[in-house]
Amino acid sequence: MSKSINGRARRWRAAVALGAAAALGLSGCGLNEDNGASGDGAAGDTVLRIGTTTDVSNFNPLQSLSKTDSWILNAMYPHLLRIDANAKKAPELAKDYTYENDGKTAVFHLRDDFTWTDGKPVVADDVKFSAESIMKYKLGNVAAKLTWVTSIEAPDATTVKFNLSQPYAPFAEGVGFWMSVVPKHVFEGAGDLSKFANDSNWVGAGPFVLESATKGQRYVMKRNDKYPLAPGGKPAVSKVEYRLYPDVNTMMLALRNGDIDLMGTPVPASAAKTFESDSKIKMTKVGALGFAHLTYNMNNKDLAKQEVRQALSMAIDTKSIISSVLQGDAQQMSGPISPIFADYDNTEIQPYPFDPAGAKAKLTAAGYKDGNGDGLFDGLELGVACDQSNANITRVVQLFRESAAKAGIKLENECVERNTFLSRTKDGKYDIDASQWGVFDNPMDQLRSTYLSSNPGGINYNLLKSPEIDQLINDAAGTTDPAAFATKIKNIDKVVHEQAYLTPLYVENFQFAYNASKFGGFEASPSDLLGMVTAYSLAQVKPVG
Amino acid sequence: MARFVLNRALKAVLTIWIAITATFFLLRLLPGDPTTLMVEGDMTPEMRAALLKTYGLDQPLLEQYVSYLRELLHGNFGISFRQIQPVTDILLDRLPWTLLLAGVAFLLTIAVGIPIGVYAAAHRGRWPDKLLQGFGIGGHALFVPSVAMLLLVYLGAKLGWFPIGGAIDPDTRGAAAYLSLAHHLVLPVASLVLVQLGPYALTLRTNLIDVLGEDYIRAARARGLSGRRRLWKHALRNAILPALTLMGLQLGTLVGGAVLTETVFAYPGVGRLIYEAVGQRDYPVLQGAFIMLAITVVVANALTDLLYAVLNPRIRL
């Protein structure tokens, strides 16, 4: 009997061992691939390790729409222009640009010292090919910015001309900043670029180029030894390694622990204080290129009235929201243009004051009544939609609901899952949209996208159809003289504010944390899209000591 | 036995087909489509239409479903919307990591749970038993990410005993790579085991106490068999059957828990892939991942049934 028991025990132990070995063996495949793929850690390498939140979803820079993809891809593929610390466009691959033919031709003059990592020079034909491919296959978000292009010419190696169907003042800035330039000699053999994964044998002309990608774990980039925008012609850091931390709390622990040197993603305002006691961690603060706002659906019978929109603007206490929700880490907005664009922000505009009694009086004057004496106007009941994964905005909606009740306006909290929210706002199935614009790189694009009735872009969440606004926007769009353009933008700013098509709330500040005992020299740019991980910034980074 | 196996296999196939169908339609019932998330890109209606056509989402739903089933039968899970890569390749890259994590947690739960359950049953009413009852009930209340974050903060960051996330150190090879792999595995596995262990051991303990009161155990005692032998040989074999069923069911929970654990520990498995794909509405990846996990759970449950049948011949009747 005992022999039989021992036999069974042996079989059981063998089964467990076999299972464990099989599991380890299975992972062993991935294990070996991983080790074979990453070649970092060699002696003499200076590796900058950056935390990112998600895998690269698409290595094709003409097609990718992901913020975290762009951190890696922008370091490989140059852009004509970049955004500097003051949110102004600065030269990158292009030395400068001009408009000719009454604004109907945008001409970029390129530098002649950019080279692809396979040794070929970056030339105007690469820019032409990139733009034409985007137009042909309708790739990414740049396709909409090339709507006005009728043809592209590359008369010599350093000149690119975009011929436009009509003058559009911010064309050069928009295309220059957003469009990645890819090597024609590599991409043209790939066939249909909408199906080109570009997931190996990378050739770039940015400061770094991908060397290996281990999905779910890390992306290793090696230095481009010929990058003219780096001090001395090549980056001081020999490798950049992006490590994945989907949870921002884990990423913060990894920075403290020395596993990474920089967080690519901003530190949440509520958690920023945890780094204060750590002498080796430094924080850099930048503004956002977007802003939080309340947008009103003009198809709603109440919200179609200017008085109601103005009353709502007076029923939200933005100052206390900034101090309580954002711990003071934001700027209050007045008009619909972010103060970060100093040239276009109309400083004569004052925010609507927080005045529930004044809002109530305004609504009474507009004919609203409180027949049952419950403190709320009869029939004035509105829903506020938001993305519930945005903790700050969800809190804003709660506070807005409470303060609006003091003005006699009943609000319902309709915060839902992100995709449901986006789907509802796109379909106009909401009353008030509380959200945060991501990135606007220039005010004209913002105004066109959000207010033009014929805008093909589709983020006119107001569903506004105003001939006056259409005329003002179209007029400004065709003005290529910078001073006249700024004046016209400021005027639109004023009209939108008076009409209260939206209530701008705040421009959030982002804080980026890095290990200052190991690296310095970062050049931060506004927004969480850019932050500390732009190609230009990474090219400036130096090891400390 | 052959009829029993065939019956179980047919049920498994049916379950997998239901999982495939439910996954396909539920994902498409969600508001929005993969283009919804691209609003910040100023997308024109033409661009949206072109994208939907590329994704095959412009076809009627039933047509999409039939086409999907046809491709599945050929072993083709489709092409990821976002990654422009075959879903099979993406999943095969990630599945071993999830199997390793869930598999080790599963085996460890059994290996530790059985002695704890037996010990508590043998010491019924005394402090080890009371401790297990508290732990078992507490286990039901534990939330995997909270346990994971606590372990990460104290054992990872404060004490520095374990790495902060990841699956392996990049520059290790051979035996060192396996050690690094095991080192990175400790905290994610511990998070899953801590949540699963209590309820499992508690179920075993309760069953064992019931079985210990059966006539045949009393008869064994009358025959002079030792307490240890009665407990481990006679009582445990019967008491373990419901616990085995529970483990089969808990495998699904383990795989579900891996989604959260992998996110907190930055572990490169299927769970994290799902987390990312949900945000991007990448239907092919989500479908492929759910189907692969469903197959894993269904196969594991079928194997549990077979094991159950081996241990308890009555259910084959």
Side-chain angles (χ1 to χ4, degrees):
Chain A
M1 179 68 80
S2 75
K3 194 175 172 186
S4 158
I5 293 170
N6 288 341
R8 272 203 290 274
R10 268 200 303 276
R11 281 202 295 278
W12 171 245
R13 279 198 295 270
V16 171
L18 191 68
L24 281 167
L26 274 169
S27 270
C29 303
L31 184 77
N32 293 332
E33 276 171 27
D34 169 45
N35 284 344
S38 59
D40 57 337
D45 279 347
T46 317
V47 185
L48 172 70
R49 293 156 306 163
I50 305 173
T52 182
T53 51
T54 52
D55 268 304
V56 173
S57 58
N58 192 330
F59 290 100
N60 184 342
L62 302 182
Q63 195 173 29
S64 176
L65 288 165
S66 152
K67 175 176 70 185
T68 46
D69 283 9
S70 76
W71 294 348
I72 291 173
L73 299 178
N74 289 352
M76 274 208 287
Y77 299 100
H79 290 220
L80 293 164
L81 304 171
R82 64 182 179 88
I83 286 185
D84 69 11
N86 301 313
K88 292 197 172 183
K89 300 295 188 309
E92 191 176 308
L93 174 60
K95 285 188 293 189
D96 56 41
Y97 66 88
T98 52
Y99 281 104
E100 295 174 355
N101 190 20
D102 293 330
K104 288 177 78 175
T105 302
V107 184
F108 287 97
H109 303 105
L110 311 187
R111 295 175 66 117
D112 60 3
D113 50 0
F114 267 72
T115 32
W116 298 109
T117 44
D118 61 1
K120 291 192 165 55
V122 180
V123 291
D125 258 347
D126 292 316
V127 180
K128 181 175 186 284
F129 170 80
S130 304
E132 286 176 344
S133 300
I134 290 168
M135 290 162 68
K136 181 177 176 186
Y137 297 108
K138 297 185 170 54
L139 301 175
N141 63 344
V142 182
K145 297 186 185 301
L146 293 166
T147 310
W148 300 271
V149 175
T150 53
S151 63
I152 304 169
E153 298 167 50
D156 59 57
T158 56
T159 309
V160 190
K161 292 184 176 183
F162 290 86
N163 297 312
L164 311 177
S165 56
Q166 62 185 73
Y168 182 54
F171 171 82
E173 287 200 350
V175 170
F177 169 64
W178 287 100
M179 186 177 77
S180 294
V181 177
V182 298
K184 181 184 174 188
H185 61 281
V186 175
F187 276 58
E188 71 181 344
D192 182 348
L193 289 188
S194 68
K195 294 183 175 131
F196 179 41
N198 187 38
D199 54 359
S200 59
N201 303 319
W202 297 280
V203 175
F208 295 92
V209 66
L210 265 169
E211 182 179 64
S212 68
T214 312
K215 286 262 174 179
Q217 298 182 60
R218 65 186 62 82
Y219 295 82
V220 180
M221 307 183 84
K222 64 179 177 190
R223 171 172 60 200
N224 175 1
D225 286 334
K226 290 179 184 168
Y227 186 67
L229 299 184
K234 72 173 185 182
V237 169
S238 55
K239 289 197 177 185
V240 168
E241 180 186 328
Y242 277 89
R243 291 190 178 183
L244 279 122
Y245 297 92
D247 187 293
V248 73
N249 297 304
T250 311
M251 197 191 290
M252 287 171 64
L253 287 176
L255 179 65
R256 273 173 170 272
N257 215 39
D259 293 353
I260 54 171
D261 309 306
L262 165 70
M263 286 175 64
T265 200
V267 178
S270 55
K273 282 192 169 27
T274 61
F275 283 130
E276 281 176 3
S277 58
D278 196 327
S279 60
K280 65 180 189 296
I281 310 276
K282 248 190 171 177
M283 308 276 281
T284 297
K285 192 181 284 194
V286 299
L289 285 174
F291 58 90
H293 60 96
L294 304 171
T295 289
Y296 306 113
N297 186 338
M298 297 294 284
N299 286 350
N300 178 292
K301 68 175 172 51
D302 294 308
L303 294 170
K305 296 173 190 165
Q306 184 184 8
E307 302 92 325
V308 175
R309 299 192 300 268
Q310 287 179 335
L312 284 161
S313 300
M314 293 161 72
I316 185 160
D317 190 355
T318 310
K319 278 184 186 161
S320 76
I321 284 172
I322 290 172
S323 65
S324 64
V325 179
L326 296 146
Q327 281 88 45
D329 226 354
Q331 298 178 62
Q332 186 176 8
M333 282 184 68
S334 309
I337 303 293
S338 166
I340 207 153
F341 297 111
D343 293 348
Y344 306 105
D345 180 28
N346 190 335
T347 48
E348 288 171 15
I349 292 173
Q350 290 302 311
Y352 285 93
F354 175 57
D355 181 6
K360 214 168 196 172
K362 198 176 264 290
L363 290 170
T364 306
Y368 287 92
K369 290 187 173 59
D370 176 14
N372 57 11
D374 66 351
L376 298 169
F377 288 108
D378 303 337
L380 186 59
E381 195 174 324
L382 301 160
V384 189
C386 86
D387 164 14
Q388 66 183 12
S389 69
N390 186 328
N392 288 348
I393 293 289
T394 307
R395 185 83 185 107
V396 165
V397 172
Q398 285 165 356
L399 295 172
F400 181 32
R401 193 166 166 262
E402 289 162 19
S403 59
K406 291 179 193 160
I409 307 166
K410 186 175 182 189
L411 298 180
E412 289 295 338
N413 183 330
E414 293 178 352
C415 292
V416 287
E417 180 268 337
R418 177 170 168 77
N419 289 284
T420 310
F421 165 71
L422 290 174
S423 179
R424 284 182 59 181
T425 45
K426 278 199 100 168
D427 296 340
K429 292 176 182 166
Y430 74 98
D431 298 329
I432 302 171
D433 164 303
S435 59
Q436 195 152 354
W437 295 125
V439 172
F440 285 118
D441 71 290
N442 72 70
M444 187 72 247
D445 273 355
Q446 174 196 332
L447 295 171
R448 280 191 85 259
S449 297
T450 50
Y451 299 116
L452 204 57
S453 62
S454 60
N455 172 35
I459 54 172
N460 177 354
Y461 288 167
N462 283 104
L463 305 173
L464 183 66
K465 287 176 187 154
S466 162
E468 183 199 5
I469 288 284
D470 281 358
Q471 196 272 328
L472 289 172
I473 290 174
N474 286 329
D475 178 41
T479 306
T480 50
D481 173 60
F485 178 69
T487 305
K488 287 177 181 178
I489 294 285
K490 285 180 183 176
N491 184 42
I492 300 171
D493 205 355
K494 185 168 158 251
V495 174
V496 171
H497 177 73
E498 281 168 4
Q499 284 292 331
Y501 290 132
L502 90 165
T503 304
L505 299 174
Y506 54 80
V507 182
E508 200 175 342
N509 291 327
F510 292 117
Q511 298 199 72
F512 294 93
Y514 65 99
N515 189 334
S517 70
K518 292 174 78 177
F519 291 99
F522 295 97
E523 292 272 343
S525 295
S527 86
D528 57 342
L529 172 75
L530 306 170
M532 310 273 271
V533 289
T534 59
Y536 186 78
S537 173
L538 295 179
Q540 314 307 311
V541 175
K542 289 176 296 203
V544 171
Chain B
M1 186 68 180
R3 195 173 158 192
F4 176 81
V5 173
L6 185 69
N7 191 18
R8 282 290 178 276
L10 282 174
K11 277 187 182 165
V13 171
L14 185 70
T15 311
I16 289 168
W17 174 72
I18 292 171
I20 291 168
T21 307
T23 306
F24 183 91
F25 287 104
L26 283 174
L27 284 175
R28 281 157 179 81
L29 278 177
L30 290 172
D33 57 50
T35 64
T36 312
L37 287 169
M38 302 176 190
V39 284
E40 287 172 5
D42 237 8
M43 187 166 44
T44 64
E46 293 76 26
M47 284 165 62
R48 183 168 181 269
L51 270 177
L52 290 176
K53 192 174 177 193
T54 308
Y55 296 160
L57 297 172
D58 57 336
Q59 302 295 315
L61 206 55
L62 208 59
E63 219 166 282
Q64 290 181 43
Y65 174 65
V66 172
S67 153
Y68 185 65
L69 280 186
R70 196 186 310 123
E71 291 299 317
L72 265 188
L73 288 174
H74 290 91
N76 182 5
F77 280 82
I79 303 287
S80 160
F81 291 165
R82 290 300 185 99
Q83 303 187 37
I84 328 180
Q85 279 181 350
V87 172
T88 315
D89 293 354
I90 297 169
L91 289 173
L92 288 179
D93 233 23
R94 301 293 192 94
L95 189 66
W97 294 107
T98 299
L99 287 182
L100 176 67
L101 177 59
V104 172
F106 182 76
L107 293 176
L108 208 61
T109 305
I110 294 175
V112 180
I114 290 177
I116 290 179
V118 171
Y119 191 78
H123 296 80
R124 186 183 177 186
R126 287 155 66 183
W127 72 264
D129 184 32
K130 286 180 180 161
L131 193 68
L132 174 66
Q133 286 183 47
F135 187 51
I137 292 162
H140 281 295
L142 288 175
F143 185 45
V144 174
S146 313
V147 176
M149 194 41 85
L150 274 176
L151 292 177
L152 201 58
V153 168
Y154 287 100
L155 302 183
K158 291 220 160 139
L159 296 173
W161 291 352
F162 299 100
I164 308 287
I168 185 167
D169 291 324
D171 44 3
T172 51
R173 287 177 193 282
Y178 280 90
L179 275 177
S180 168
L181 180 83
H183 195 205
H184 282 78
L185 202 56
V186 173
L187 293 186
V189 165
S191 312
L192 290 171
V193 170
L194 276 175
V195 173
Q196 302 270 346
L197 186 64
Y200 175 71
L202 194 60
T203 306
L204 185 67
R205 170 245 176 222
T206 310
N207 295 331
L208 205 50
I209 286 171
D210 284 347
V211 171
L212 286 171
E214 297 272 343
D215 289 346
Y216 77 92
I217 296 293
R218 281 204 292 274
R221 188 177 184 180
R223 276 165 46 214
L225 292 181
S226 71
R228 197 173 160 183
R229 194 153 175 200
R230 287 198 309 271
L231 189 66
W232 286 94
K233 181 173 180 326
H234 294 276
L236 182 60
R237 183 162 176 167
N238 282 322
I240 207 168
L241 292 173
L244 201 65
T245 309
L246 177 73
M247 269 325 278
L249 294 172
Q250 281 192 329
L251 192 68
T253 319
L254 260 179
V255 169
V259 175
L260 303 167
T261 315
E262 287 174 6
T263 303
V264 173
F265 288 104
Y267 209 76
V270 177
R272 223 178 80 201
L273 186 70
I274 290 174
Y275 175 82
E276 288 164 11
V278 165
Q280 299 171 335
R281 287 287 192 273
D282 198 339
Y283 294 158
V285 169
L286 283 174
Q287 282 161 186
F290 287 141
I291 290 165
M292 210 170 256
L293 292 182
I295 290 172
T296 308
V297 173
V298 168
V299 169
N301 275 309
L303 290 176
T304 310
D305 281 353
L306 291 178
L307 189 61
Y308 202 110
V310 170
L311 291 172
N312 183 6
R314 280 175 302 179
I315 69 147
R316 280 181 250 159
L317 298 174

